[in-house]
Amino acid sequence: MEIINEQALSQCIRDALRKELQEHFKIGGSSRQEPEERLLSKQQLAAELGVSLVTLSDWMKKGLPFLRLHRRVYFKKSEVLKIMQQDITD
């Protein structure tokens, strides 16, 4: 006795999976989320800003936002630029 054929079951599973993925990732329209920002190492940020690692370390002591993961230090470029713009406008 066959309640549902294989092709119909396969289509039903695909539709359900597609719907769940769309809900999870909010696919389509204006509800699309921004991708997470990539973290920059001290060396990468220093190169982007054109400053030395010593200068960057001094800025960290003065309140430049950073993240410490294990023994490494990382920065979100958007946060760094936001703080730098605040210092310029103040």
Side-chain angles (χ1 to χ4, degrees), residues 35-80:
E36 252 187 65
E37 186 175 2
R38 186 173 68 95
L39 298 176
L40 300 176
S41 68
K42 283 177 78 169
Q43 293 81 5
Q44 290 170 325
L45 184 63
E48 285 219 17
L49 297 176
V51 298
S52 70
L53 291 174
V54 174
T55 300
L56 198 57
S57 295
D58 287 342
W59 290 353
M60 288 168 61
K61 290 176 188 173
K62 293 178 181 178
L64 187 69
F66 65 93
L67 303 166
R68 187 176 299 276
L69 300 174
H70 303 285
R71 292 184 151 187
R72 296 181 182 233
V73 173
Y74 297 96
F75 302 87
K76 285 187 177 180
K77 187 176 176 182
S78 63
E79 287 182 7
V80 171

